[in-house]
Amino acid sequence: RKRFDVVLMNPPFGAGSMVAKQHFEKNYPRTKSDLYAAFVERGIQLLHKRGMLGAITSRTGFFLSSFERWREEILLKEAPPVVFADLGYGVLDSAMVEVAAYCLEAAA
């Protein structure tokens, strides 16, 4: 398996297709509710210890109760945030979504 020092992403967000939903439910049960959360989980799995993941995503995962498991199990235990910027609307061209940019560091 390949591991990386850095993973950088702007993953899709929202619910996946029916076919994708089955895959995500099976392989990413902690983050299946939103594509970007599952992409972040997978990105962390690809990192070397102390590797960095940079992402610009919807900000919902940091505030909604439905993402509590993602925050507690993925972010706080596996790759805590090093820096976080809440950017709001108007960042992703015409996409009407509030976004955040952040860097996570894989646990040693």
Side-chain angles (χ1 to χ4, degrees):
R1 296 175 57 164
K2 289 192 176 191
R3 299 284 178 184
F4 301 92
D5 295 322
V6 175
V7 171
L8 185 62
M9 65 174 67
N10 176 6
F13 56 90
S17 68
M18 291 307 290
V19 174
K21 186 175 182 172
Q22 293 172 0
H23 173 78
F24 283 94
E25 285 177 356
K26 178 182 176 190
N27 296 294
Y28 304 98
R30 299 182 297 176
T31 55
K32 65 185 177 191
S33 62
D34 198 295
L35 289 172
Y36 89 80
F39 270 72
V40 169
E41 180 179 5
R42 179 63 179 140
I44 292 166
Q45 292 170 353
L46 294 172
L47 290 171
H48 286 291
K49 291 179 181 180
R50 311 264 340 239
M52 302 291 286
L53 180 138
I56 184 167
T57 67
S58 167
R59 67 190 287 275
T60 56
F62 292 92
F63 304 101
L64 294 181
S65 61
S66 59
F67 285 82
E68 183 176 2
R69 192 172 181 195
W70 180 70
R71 289 190 301 271
E72 290 180 353
E73 295 181 14
I74 306 290
L75 298 186
L76 294 179
K77 293 181 181 174
E78 296 179 19
V82 175
V83 65
F84 175 88
D86 189 355
L87 302 174
Y89 286 113
V91 175
L92 298 177
D93 295 327
S94 61
M96 291 304 299
V97 61
E98 291 183 283
V99 300
Y102 47 93
C103 289
L104 311 174
E105 183 176 17

